[in-house]
Amino acid sequence: MNRNPLPEDENWESDAVWKLLDEAPPVSAGPRFADNVMRAIRLDEPPAPWWKRWALPASIGGLVAATAAIVLTVQAFVAHAPAAKSGPVAGNPPAATESFDAVQDITDSEVLVAAADHLDRYSDTELVSLISF
């Protein structure tokens, strides 16, 4: 393939970018440039694989959905419980409240386990709020 040379005004050396670079003052690296670059390389972590970035939100979302389903089921059973006959009722413990407390404890422990697996994704404030509920 035979190409004609570019005219002088379209030459890459007369490009506007090169003219600006020629006018710019030279910049030299500081005395700690190499140390700063190596520190940045050591501190830089590779991004997590795509499946790990989706796994944590999906697991927390599933946990929230399961908790909501359990709460709605418990409320539906409590709301549609048969009415008590007139007369004294003895020895009926509040079973729904106890089961809800058990479910709440399990949910809280699952959230803490999920957070413990990924401590670097939570700020200090978020971790304190998780522990103090």
Side-chain angles (χ1 to χ4, degrees):
M1 178 178 250
N2 221 356
R3 291 187 50 170
N4 294 333
L6 294 174
E8 188 62 36
D9 59 340
E10 293 182 19
N11 193 355
W12 64 273
E13 291 178 352
S14 64
D15 189 26
V17 174
W18 285 105
K19 288 178 183 176
L20 286 174
L21 285 174
D22 287 339
E23 294 172 6
V27 177
S28 62
R32 303 217 15 116
F33 177 75
D35 294 333
N36 292 338
V37 169
M38 292 307 295
R39 183 177 60 241
I41 290 172
R42 282 192 302 271
L43 294 177
D44 188 29
E45 296 180 6
W50 64 269
W51 54 271
K52 280 188 177 180
R53 289 190 303 253
W54 287 94
L56 181 63
S59 65
I60 291 176
L63 182 64
V64 168
T67 304
I70 291 171
V71 167
L72 291 175
T73 303
V74 169
Q75 287 181 351
F77 280 125
V78 170
H80 296 303
K85 296 181 181 178
S86 61
V89 178
N92 267 347
T97 305
E98 291 173 2
S99 66
F100 181 74
D101 291 339
V103 170
Q104 185 67 33
D105 290 340
I106 293 170
T107 304
D108 294 345
S109 64
E110 288 295 324
V111 169
L112 285 174
V113 168
D117 290 341
H118 304 285
L119 287 175
D120 57 334
R121 295 185 181 181
Y122 294 97
S123 68
D124 292 340
T125 308
E126 292 170 332
L127 290 173
V128 168
S129 67
L130 280 175
I131 293 171
S132 64
F133 57 78

PDB file of all heavy atoms in Angstrom, residues 3-23:
ATOM      1  N   ARG A   3       1.277   5.188   0.371  1.00  0.00           N
ATOM      2  CA  ARG A   3       0.605   6.359   0.935  1.00  0.00           C
ATOM      3  C   ARG A   3       1.415   7.593   0.640  1.00  0.00           C
ATOM      4  O   ARG A   3       2.640   7.583   0.682  1.00  0.00           O
ATOM      5  CB  ARG A   3       0.448   6.200   2.443  1.00  0.00           C
ATOM      6  CG  ARG A   3      -0.531   5.131   2.817  1.00  0.00           C
ATOM      7  CD  ARG A   3      -0.767   5.124   4.266  1.00  0.00           C
ATOM      8  NE  ARG A   3      -1.078   6.493   4.722  1.00  0.00           N
ATOM      9  CZ  ARG A   3      -1.523   6.779   5.925  1.00  0.00           C
ATOM     10  NH1 ARG A   3      -1.703   5.832   6.800  1.00  0.00           N
ATOM     11  NH2 ARG A   3      -1.783   8.009   6.278  1.00  0.00           N
ATOM     12  N   ASN A   4       0.692   8.644   0.437  1.00  0.00           N
ATOM     13  CA  ASN A   4       1.354   9.927   0.231  1.00  0.00           C
ATOM     14  C   ASN A   4       1.691  10.532   1.588  1.00  0.00           C
ATOM     15  O   ASN A   4       0.922  10.402   2.536  1.00  0.00           O
ATOM     16  CB  ASN A   4       0.449  10.883  -0.552  1.00  0.00           C
ATOM     17  CG  ASN A   4       0.206  10.380  -1.964  1.00  0.00           C
ATOM     18  OD1 ASN A   4       1.031   9.669  -2.511  1.00  0.00           O
ATOM     19  ND2 ASN A   4      -0.927  10.743  -2.524  1.00  0.00           N
ATOM     20  N   PRO A   5       2.806  11.191   1.721  1.00  0.00           N
ATOM     21  CA  PRO A   5       3.122  11.825   3.006  1.00  0.00           C
ATOM     22  C   PRO A   5       2.120  12.954   3.288  1.00  0.00           C
ATOM     23  O   PRO A   5       1.570  13.566   2.384  1.00  0.00           O
ATOM     24  CB  PRO A   5       4.535  12.359   2.814  1.00  0.00           C
ATOM     25  CG  PRO A   5       4.728  12.436   1.345  1.00  0.00           C
ATOM     26  CD  PRO A   5       3.843  11.402   0.718  1.00  0.00           C
ATOM     27  N   LEU A   6       1.944  13.184   4.582  1.00  0.00           N
ATOM     28  CA  LEU A   6       1.021  14.240   4.991  1.00  0.00           C
ATOM     29  C   LEU A   6       1.612  15.609   4.653  1.00  0.00           C
ATOM     30  O   LEU A   6       2.828  15.801   4.723  1.00  0.00           O
ATOM     31  CB  LEU A   6       0.766  14.161   6.497  1.00  0.00           C
ATOM     32  CG  LEU A   6       0.028  12.933   6.985  1.00  0.00           C
ATOM     33  CD1 LEU A   6      -0.001  12.931   8.510  1.00  0.00           C
ATOM     34  CD2 LEU A   6      -1.380  12.908   6.447  1.00  0.00           C
ATOM     35  N   PRO A   7       0.745  16.552   4.335  1.00  0.00           N
ATOM     36  CA  PRO A   7       1.281  17.907   4.135  1.00  0.00           C
ATOM     37  C   PRO A   7       1.870  18.424   5.438  1.00  0.00           C
ATOM     38  O   PRO A   7       1.542  17.946   6.515  1.00  0.00           O
ATOM     39  CB  PRO A   7       0.049  18.717   3.734  1.00  0.00           C
ATOM     40  CG  PRO A   7      -0.983  17.723   3.339  1.00  0.00           C
ATOM     41  CD  PRO A   7      -0.637  16.438   4.012  1.00  0.00           C
ATOM     42  N   GLU A   8       2.711  19.412   5.342  1.00  0.00           N
ATOM     43  CA  GLU A   8       3.438  19.912   6.501  1.00  0.00           C
ATOM     44  C   GLU A   8       2.523  20.404   7.619  1.00  0.00           C
ATOM     45  O   GLU A   8       2.799  20.197   8.784  1.00  0.00           O
ATOM     46  CB  GLU A   8       4.388  21.051   6.072  1.00  0.00           C
ATOM     47  CG  GLU A   8       5.328  21.514   7.144  1.00  0.00           C
ATOM     48  CD  GLU A   8       6.279  20.420   7.624  1.00  0.00           C
ATOM     49  OE1 GLU A   8       6.712  19.599   6.804  1.00  0.00           O
ATOM     50  OE2 GLU A   8       6.581  20.386   8.828  1.00  0.00           O
ATOM     51  N   ASP A   9       1.394  21.010   7.288  1.00  0.00           N
ATOM     52  CA  ASP A   9       0.514  21.537   8.330  1.00  0.00           C
ATOM     53  C   ASP A   9      -0.270  20.432   9.020  1.00  0.00           C
ATOM     54  O   ASP A   9      -0.801  20.631  10.102  1.00  0.00           O
ATOM     55  CB  ASP A   9      -0.439  22.586   7.752  1.00  0.00           C
ATOM     56  CG  ASP A   9      -1.299  22.035   6.635  1.00  0.00           C
ATOM     57  OD1 ASP A   9      -0.919  20.993   6.044  1.00  0.00           O
ATOM     58  OD2 ASP A   9      -2.352  22.637   6.360  1.00  0.00           O
ATOM     59  N   GLU A  10      -0.371  19.239   8.445  1.00  0.00           N
ATOM     60  CA  GLU A  10      -1.072  18.118   9.078  1.00  0.00           C
ATOM     61  C   GLU A  10      -0.099  17.120   9.704  1.00  0.00           C
ATOM     62  O   GLU A  10      -0.473  16.033  10.070  1.00  0.00           O
ATOM     63  CB  GLU A  10      -1.958  17.404   8.060  1.00  0.00           C
ATOM     64  CG  GLU A  10      -3.113  18.256   7.579  1.00  0.00           C
ATOM     65  CD  GLU A  10      -4.001  17.515   6.601  1.00  0.00           C
ATOM     66  OE1 GLU A  10      -3.943  16.271   6.558  1.00  0.00           O
ATOM     67  OE2 GLU A  10      -4.740  18.175   5.884  1.00  0.00           O
ATOM     68  N   ASN A  11       1.125  17.477   9.781  1.00  0.00           N
ATOM     69  CA  ASN A  11       2.128  16.603  10.360  1.00  0.00           C
ATOM     70  C   ASN A  11       1.872  16.467  11.861  1.00  0.00           C
ATOM     71  O   ASN A  11       1.421  17.387  12.526  1.00  0.00           O
ATOM     72  CB  ASN A  11       3.510  17.204  10.096  1.00  0.00           C
ATOM     73  CG  ASN A  11       4.615  16.218  10.370  1.00  0.00           C
ATOM     74  OD1 ASN A  11       4.365  15.108  10.846  1.00  0.00           O
ATOM     75  ND2 ASN A  11       5.829  16.615  10.066  1.00  0.00           N
ATOM     76  N   TRP A  12       2.191  15.319  12.431  1.00  0.00           N
ATOM     77  CA  TRP A  12       1.903  15.072  13.846  1.00  0.00           C
ATOM     78  C   TRP A  12       2.700  15.977  14.763  1.00  0.00           C
ATOM     79  O   TRP A  12       2.312  16.249  15.885  1.00  0.00           O
ATOM     80  CB  TRP A  12       2.116  13.606  14.206  1.00  0.00           C
ATOM     81  CG  TRP A  12       3.538  13.141  14.068  1.00  0.00           C
ATOM     82  CD1 TRP A  12       4.134  12.663  12.961  1.00  0.00           C
ATOM     83  CD2 TRP A  12       4.510  13.122  15.108  1.00  0.00           C
ATOM     84  NE1 TRP A  12       5.431  12.349  13.205  1.00  0.00           N
ATOM     85  CE2 TRP A  12       5.696  12.611  14.543  1.00  0.00           C
ATOM     86  CE3 TRP A  12       4.523  13.477  16.436  1.00  0.00           C
ATOM     87  CZ2 TRP A  12       6.864  12.461  15.269  1.00  0.00           C
ATOM     88  CZ3 TRP A  12       5.673  13.321  17.157  1.00  0.00           C
ATOM     89  CH2 TRP A  12       6.832  12.817  16.576  1.00  0.00           C
ATOM     90  N   GLU A  13       3.820  16.478  14.300  1.00  0.00           N
ATOM     91  CA  GLU A  13       4.621  17.362  15.121  1.00  0.00           C
ATOM     92  C   GLU A  13       4.006  18.757  15.245  1.00  0.00           C
ATOM     93  O   GLU A  13       4.331  19.502  16.156  1.00  0.00           O
ATOM     94  CB  GLU A  13       6.032  17.463  14.560  1.00  0.00           C
ATOM     95  CG  GLU A  13       6.810  16.183  14.710  1.00  0.00           C
ATOM     96  CD  GLU A  13       8.194  16.282  14.094  1.00  0.00           C
ATOM     97  OE1 GLU A  13       8.483  17.293  13.415  1.00  0.00           O
ATOM     98  OE2 GLU A  13       8.975  15.355  14.302  1.00  0.00           O
ATOM     99  N   SER A  14       3.124  19.108  14.337  1.00  0.00           N
ATOM    100  CA  SER A  14       2.484  20.411  14.428  1.00  0.00           C
ATOM    101  C   SER A  14       1.079  20.294  15.034  1.00  0.00           C
ATOM    102  O   SER A  14       0.280  21.215  14.907  1.00  0.00           O
ATOM    103  CB  SER A  14       2.407  21.053  13.035  1.00  0.00           C
ATOM    104  OG  SER A  14       1.583  20.264  12.194  1.00  0.00           O
ATOM    105  N   ASP A  15       0.818  19.204  15.685  1.00  0.00           N
ATOM    106  CA  ASP A  15      -0.472  18.987  16.346  1.00  0.00           C
ATOM    107  C   ASP A  15      -0.601  19.939  17.534  1.00  0.00           C
ATOM    108  O   ASP A  15       0.386  20.318  18.176  1.00  0.00           O
ATOM    109  CB  ASP A  15      -0.549  17.528  16.815  1.00  0.00           C
ATOM    110  CG  ASP A  15      -1.930  17.166  17.301  1.00  0.00           C
ATOM    111  OD1 ASP A  15      -2.900  17.795  16.860  1.00  0.00           O
ATOM    112  OD2 ASP A  15      -2.025  16.245  18.134  1.00  0.00           O
ATOM    113  N   ALA A  16      -1.836  20.350  17.862  1.00  0.00           N
ATOM    114  CA  ALA A  16      -2.080  21.300  18.949  1.00  0.00           C
ATOM    115  C   ALA A  16      -1.648  20.726  20.294  1.00  0.00           C
ATOM    116  O   ALA A  16      -1.150  21.462  21.159  1.00  0.00           O
ATOM    117  CB  ALA A  16      -3.556  21.676  18.976  1.00  0.00           C
ATOM    118  N   VAL A  17      -1.809  19.431  20.486  1.00  0.00           N
ATOM    119  CA  VAL A  17      -1.404  18.818  21.755  1.00  0.00           C
ATOM    120  C   VAL A  17       0.107  18.913  21.931  1.00  0.00           C
ATOM    121  O   VAL A  17       0.603  19.236  23.016  1.00  0.00           O
ATOM    122  CB  VAL A  17      -1.880  17.350  21.812  1.00  0.00           C
ATOM    123  CG1 VAL A  17      -1.347  16.663  23.048  1.00  0.00           C
ATOM    124  CG2 VAL A  17      -3.396  17.280  21.756  1.00  0.00           C
ATOM    125  N   TRP A  18       0.844  18.645  20.876  1.00  0.00           N
ATOM    126  CA  TRP A  18       2.294  18.719  20.973  1.00  0.00           C
ATOM    127  C   TRP A  18       2.750  20.156  21.216  1.00  0.00           C
ATOM    128  O   TRP A  18       3.717  20.399  21.952  1.00  0.00           O
ATOM    129  CB  TRP A  18       2.945  18.164  19.712  1.00  0.00           C
ATOM    130  CG  TRP A  18       2.873  16.667  19.668  1.00  0.00           C
ATOM    131  CD1 TRP A  18       2.062  15.904  18.902  1.00  0.00           C
ATOM    132  CD2 TRP A  18       3.645  15.763  20.462  1.00  0.00           C
ATOM    133  NE1 TRP A  18       2.269  14.589  19.155  1.00  0.00           N
ATOM    134  CE2 TRP A  18       3.239  14.462  20.120  1.00  0.00           C
ATOM    135  CE3 TRP A  18       4.635  15.916  21.431  1.00  0.00           C
ATOM    136  CZ2 TRP A  18       3.778  13.333  20.703  1.00  0.00           C
ATOM    137  CZ3 TRP A  18       5.179  14.789  22.006  1.00  0.00           C
ATOM    138  CH2 TRP A  18       4.753  13.515  21.638  1.00  0.00           C
ATOM    139  N   LYS A  19       2.035  21.104  20.635  1.00  0.00           N
ATOM    140  CA  LYS A  19       2.393  22.506  20.880  1.00  0.00           C
ATOM    141  C   LYS A  19       2.187  22.862  22.347  1.00  0.00           C
ATOM    142  O   LYS A  19       3.012  23.545  22.957  1.00  0.00           O
ATOM    143  CB  LYS A  19       1.555  23.424  19.993  1.00  0.00           C
ATOM    144  CG  LYS A  19       1.944  23.365  18.537  1.00  0.00           C
ATOM    145  CD  LYS A  19       1.063  24.260  17.698  1.00  0.00           C
ATOM    146  CE  LYS A  19       1.424  24.144  16.230  1.00  0.00           C
ATOM    147  NZ  LYS A  19       0.527  24.918  15.370  1.00  0.00           N
ATOM    148  N   LEU A  20       1.070  22.399  22.927  1.00  0.00           N
ATOM    149  CA  LEU A  20       0.827  22.656  24.352  1.00  0.00           C
ATOM    150  C   LEU A  20       1.867  21.968  25.228  1.00  0.00           C
ATOM    151  O   LEU A  20       2.311  22.525  26.237  1.00  0.00           O
ATOM    152  CB  LEU A  20      -0.578  22.194  24.744  1.00  0.00           C
ATOM    153  CG  LEU A  20      -1.731  23.069  24.258  1.00  0.00           C
ATOM    154  CD1 LEU A  20      -3.060  22.404  24.584  1.00  0.00           C
ATOM    155  CD2 LEU A  20      -1.645  24.439  24.894  1.00  0.00           C
ATOM    156  N   LEU A  21       2.247  20.748  24.874  1.00  0.00           N
ATOM    157  CA  LEU A  21       3.266  20.042  25.643  1.00  0.00           C
ATOM    158  C   LEU A  21       4.617  20.759  25.564  1.00  0.00           C
ATOM    159  O   LEU A  21       5.379  20.774  26.538  1.00  0.00           O
ATOM    160  CB  LEU A  21       3.393  18.595  25.170  1.00  0.00           C
ATOM    161  CG  LEU A  21       2.279  17.658  25.595  1.00  0.00           C
ATOM    162  CD1 LEU A  21       2.445  16.293  24.935  1.00  0.00           C
ATOM    163  CD2 LEU A  21       2.237  17.506  27.103  1.00  0.00           C
ATOM    164  N   ASP A  22       4.915  21.328  24.422  1.00  0.00           N
ATOM    165  CA  ASP A  22       6.166  22.070  24.284  1.00  0.00           C
ATOM    166  C   ASP A  22       6.168  23.313  25.163  1.00  0.00           C
ATOM    167  O   ASP A  22       7.220  23.721  25.675  1.00  0.00           O
ATOM    168  CB  ASP A  22       6.394  22.468  22.822  1.00  0.00           C
ATOM    169  CG  ASP A  22       6.788  21.280  21.961  1.00  0.00           C
ATOM    170  OD1 ASP A  22       7.260  20.275  22.533  1.00  0.00           O
ATOM    171  OD2 ASP A  22       6.608  21.358  20.727  1.00  0.00           O
ATOM    172  N   GLU A  23       4.995  23.925  25.363  1.00  0.00           N
ATOM    173  CA  GLU A  23       4.901  25.133  26.167  1.00  0.00           C
ATOM    174  C   GLU A  23       4.854  24.840  27.663  1.00  0.00           C
ATOM    175  O   GLU A  23       5.118  25.724  28.479  1.00  0.00           O
ATOM    176  CB  GLU A  23       3.646  25.919  25.776  1.00  0.00           C
ATOM    177  CG  GLU A  23       3.688  26.465  24.370  1.00  0.00           C
ATOM    178  CD  GLU A  23       2.356  27.061  23.950  1.00  0.00           C
ATOM    179  OE1 GLU A  23       1.449  27.144  24.811  1.00  0.00           O
ATOM    180  OE2 GLU A  23       2.225  27.433  22.778  1.00  0.00           O
TER     181      GLU A  23
END
